[in-house]
Amino acid sequence: MEHQLVIYNTLRKKKEQFTPLNSPFVGLYVCGPTVYGDPHLGHARPAITYDLLFRYLKHQGYKVRYVRNITDVGHLEADADDGEDKIAKKAKLDQLEPMEVVQYYTNSYHAMMDKLNVLRPSIEPKASGHIIEQIEYIKTILDNGFAYEKNGSVYFNVDKYNSAEHAYGKLSGRKVEDLLNTTRDLDGQQEKEKSYDFALWKNAAPEHLMRWPSPWGNGFPGWHLECSVMSTKYLGETFDIHGGGLDLLFPHHECEIAQSVAATGHETVRYWMHNNMITVNGQKMGKSLGNFINLDEFFSGSHALLEQAYSPMTIRFFILQAHYRSTVDFSNEALQASEKGYRRMMDASKTLEHISASMQSNVDIEKWEKDCYAALNDDLNSPVLISHLFEAVKWINSAKTGSLTLSALDLDKFRSLFKLFTFEILGLLPESESQTNEAYEKAIDLLLNLRSAAKQNKDWGTADRIRNELASLGFEVMDTKDGFEWKLNN
């Protein structure tokens, strides 16, 4: 199959045919979560979007190195350089070490993504694990004249960058002169030469929990820096695709471009991709609006805005039914429609296995196959692909009644293609498999709850037996402050 994938390049504001830098190798970097709270629908959308891209690139025969970071330091409240680190703030509230917060919510994120059948990335680096590299990157930017140090903090000099015939704002379309009028008057702005300069390194106040030594004093890296550093560390100074949510377009990705050019002398990303937002009944999802629903609440139906529980595959199907660059609006009606559509597709998949071949076909499987690939090649147009799959569902139901026929050769090909597009590329799981996974997880939780009860009753023999038996089956059990966590080792 020819590689004809066309993707919308946010930087150039147009669709471009994708050609890898080092075919057949593809470097893909995606901004991952800041791990200070429960994963929610906003986390699910980029994870599923770039999972679709990851799956399709691999199907096309590329060897993909997919890097998705974990932000565990430097992401500040209100994204302001003088704000408080979100993880440090959560650690203070819960009276925990910051890395306890990080580990807990990283585990939670992984568990939810596994339920959604999102493939793990090739590499998942953490910002805190790359402090040395970030310091070296800052040194290079300083040496190149695009940053300045003030009171133990280091700031990127946006005016100096622009005067060197670079264009801060080229990704988002914003102009520097307009930023002067929109930058808020915040404490700490007096350190900067201009209000729109951004932090590469922040001096840590005595009470700040997360700090590292540097040439400029004890402090921590700016939020934007980690992605410039980790993407080029693992994918090289020029790589193929950088993805993320539209909310990261400015300032995060804009700052990434500026940092990378200032450090390397050239742009490091060839194609920028951005998925759009999820709204709730027309409003942006947010804790302050009372419409914030985390994924576990979707799966259990335990939120007041939910009329029922929605399975992980219903959520995945719901997200894939919209093009990744369009807004998705949550409502119970929309999710219930997705649930019905998903079940129709799964029922058809079962029916397809029991259809008998005929002497000849009265449908054009080759054209249908081309239409499916054309949808994927057109900027990952998953809703159009799904419409073609529903066309196939009608064929399957007609074949069941005998009003449509398929030759043995076409039937084998049709089964293979339906499985390919539905399960391997869209990443849906058969309903029985999804339900089995959920029941299996609940069974393990039940056993470990019995173990916890045995420990409380000082029945150490039963507690040890449960743990040892699970260990012999490959389960690793971790006792935590709040109970337990477990994983199955491969």
Side-chain angles (χ1 to χ4, degrees):
M1 191 192 83
E2 294 182 4
H3 303 305
Q4 300 173 335
L5 175 63
V6 173
I7 57 177
Y8 185 87
N9 190 341
T10 309
L11 183 62
R12 314 205 199 291
K13 308 295 187 293
K14 64 180 181 179
K15 291 181 181 179
E16 297 181 343
Q17 183 165 326
F18 174 67
T19 53
L21 180 66
N22 297 304
S23 184
F25 300 96
V26 173
L28 168 63
Y29 185 90
V30 174
C31 289
T34 302
V35 282
Y36 70 101
D38 292 314
H40 51 75
L41 209 56
H43 290 122
R45 187 161 200 201
I48 291 170
T49 294
Y50 299 107
D51 185 59
L52 173 62
L53 177 62
F54 186 32
R55 289 170 180 270
Y56 190 50
L57 287 171
K58 290 200 300 180
H59 168 67
Q60 287 188 311
Y62 294 118
K63 181 173 182 176
V64 186
R65 178 176 289 174
Y66 176 16
V67 182
R68 185 185 67 206
N69 71 302
I70 294 287
T71 297
D72 61 348
V73 65
H75 197 161
L76 307 178
E77 283 295 318
D79 302 334
D81 289 335
D82 62 316
E84 186 173 12
D85 185 288
K86 292 181 177 181
I87 291 164
K89 182 178 180 180
K90 179 68 174 175
K92 287 179 182 176
L93 287 172
D94 293 350
Q95 296 184 321
L96 297 170
E97 283 291 327
M99 288 305 153
E100 282 186 275
V101 173
V102 166
Q103 192 63 54
Y104 178 84
Y105 287 112
T106 300
N107 292 346
S108 179
Y109 176 78
H110 286 154
M112 294 299 108
M113 294 307 108
D114 288 348
K115 287 177 184 287
L116 291 167
N117 200 30
V118 171
L119 300 176
R120 297 286 178 99
S122 314
I123 303 173
E124 192 173 53
K126 290 182 178 179
S128 64
H130 296 76
I131 299 296
I132 293 173
E133 292 95 331
Q134 292 183 75
I135 290 172
E136 292 303 312
Y137 212 80
I138 295 170
K139 287 180 182 178
T140 300
I141 295 173
L142 280 165
D143 290 344
N144 290 343
F146 292 107
Y148 56 90
E149 186 267 338
K150 191 72 175 289
N151 299 329
S153 296
V154 181
Y155 295 99
F156 189 89
N157 191 323
V158 173
D159 282 349
K160 185 69 176 290
Y161 178 76
N162 276 0
S163 67
E165 298 186 354
H166 301 306
Y168 183 80
K170 66 187 299 183
L171 184 66
S172 61
R174 303 198 186 197
K175 296 181 179 179
V176 169
E177 51 268 28
D178 295 335
L179 296 178
L180 282 171
N181 300 322
T182 57
T183 304
R184 292 171 298 164
D185 185 17
L186 296 164
D187 292 338
Q189 290 282 26
Q190 65 273 13
E191 278 192 351
K192 304 178 185 180
E193 292 182 4
K194 289 291 177 66
S195 60
Y196 45 68
D197 291 346
F198 58 90
L200 299 173
W201 186 266
K202 282 295 293 178
N203 181 43
E207 67 275 10
H208 201 282
L209 296 177
M210 304 177 80
R211 57 173 62 224
W212 289 265
S214 80
W216 317 286
N218 288 337
F220 54 94
W223 169 38
H224 313 303
L225 189 66
E226 64 179 276
C227 290
S228 290
V229 169
M230 293 190 291
S231 61
T232 53
K233 175 180 173 66
Y234 295 108
L235 299 175
E237 282 200 359
T238 304
F239 60 95
D240 294 298
I241 302 172
H242 192 316
L246 194 61
D247 57 326
L248 300 177
L249 185 70
F250 185 89
H252 184 52
H253 289 161
E254 199 72 75
C255 294
E256 269 193 67
I257 291 176
Q259 292 166 164
S260 299
V261 172
T264 67
H266 59 82
E267 292 182 27
T268 59
V269 179
R270 300 176 67 235
Y271 301 87
W272 284 91
M273 294 179 68
H274 291 87
N275 63 275
N276 215 319
M277 300 296 98
I278 288 183
T279 56
V280 179
N281 297 321
Q283 286 186 308
K284 182 181 177 180
M285 181 185 291
K287 291 181 180 179
S288 61
L289 297 173
N291 63 2
F292 182 86
I293 309 173
N294 67 46
L295 288 171
D296 196 48
E297 289 170 331
F298 272 107
F299 301 157
S300 64
S302 58
H303 194 280
L305 289 177
L306 300 175
E307 295 177 2
Q308 64 178 72
Y310 298 100
S311 73
M313 286 304 102
T314 295
I315 298 295
R316 186 177 181 105
F317 191 69
F318 168 69
I319 289 172
L320 290 169
Q321 278 186 295
H323 190 271
Y324 77 88
R325 287 193 289 112
S326 65
T327 302
V328 172
D329 187 49
F330 155 78
S331 68
N332 282 283
E333 293 77 13
L335 272 176
Q336 287 160 13
S338 292
E339 183 177 62
K340 290 177 182 177
Y342 163 70
R343 286 180 175 169
R344 273 185 64 206
M345 197 172 289
M346 294 305 104
D347 288 343
S349 175
K350 293 176 186 175
T351 301
L352 183 56
E353 296 303 312
H354 302 289
I355 290 174
S356 299
S358 299
M359 294 297 295
Q360 60 183 13
S361 300
N362 55 10
V363 290
D364 190 342
I365 298 299
E366 287 190 7
K367 180 182 181 303
W368 178 81
E369 177 186 8
K370 288 179 181 177
D371 289 343
C372 289
Y373 276 118
L376 286 165
N377 287 330
D378 183 17
D379 198 25
L380 297 176
N381 203 324
S382 57
V384 171
L385 173 60
I386 288 171
S387 72
H388 292 316
L389 289 170
F390 276 126
E391 179 185 11
V393 169
K394 292 179 182 177
W395 291 355
I396 292 166
N397 291 331
S398 295
K400 182 180 178 181
T401 63
S403 59
L404 180 145
T405 59
L406 289 161
S407 68
L409 189 62
D410 278 351
L411 181 57
D412 284 345
K413 184 175 184 179
F414 188 36
R415 283 173 176 157
S416 176
L417 288 170
F418 193 86
K419 179 181 178 181
L420 167 70
F421 292 122
T422 303
F423 302 119
E424 294 180 29
I425 293 177
L426 288 181
L428 298 171
L429 290 172
E431 192 168 25
S432 59
E433 187 175 336
S434 179
Q435 290 171 340
T436 299
N437 287 345
E438 187 175 352
Y440 149 87
E441 290 170 2
K442 288 181 178 178
I444 301 300
D445 286 342
L446 174 62
L447 276 172
L448 290 174
N449 281 323
L450 290 173
R451 176 176 175 267
S452 296
K455 287 172 65 180
Q456 286 182 347
N457 294 328
K458 297 185 179 181
D459 183 359
W460 310 117
T462 299
D464 290 345
R465 182 182 175 189
I466 292 172
R467 181 176 187 132
N468 293 340
E469 290 288 343
L470 287 172
S472 69
L473 296 172
F475 291 93
E476 183 179 345
V477 178
M478 292 79 71
D479 291 315
T480 68
K481 176 183 176 183
D482 298 317
F484 57 80
E485 294 173 4
W486 62 268
K487 66 179 180 179
L488 179 60
N489 295 318
N490 293 327

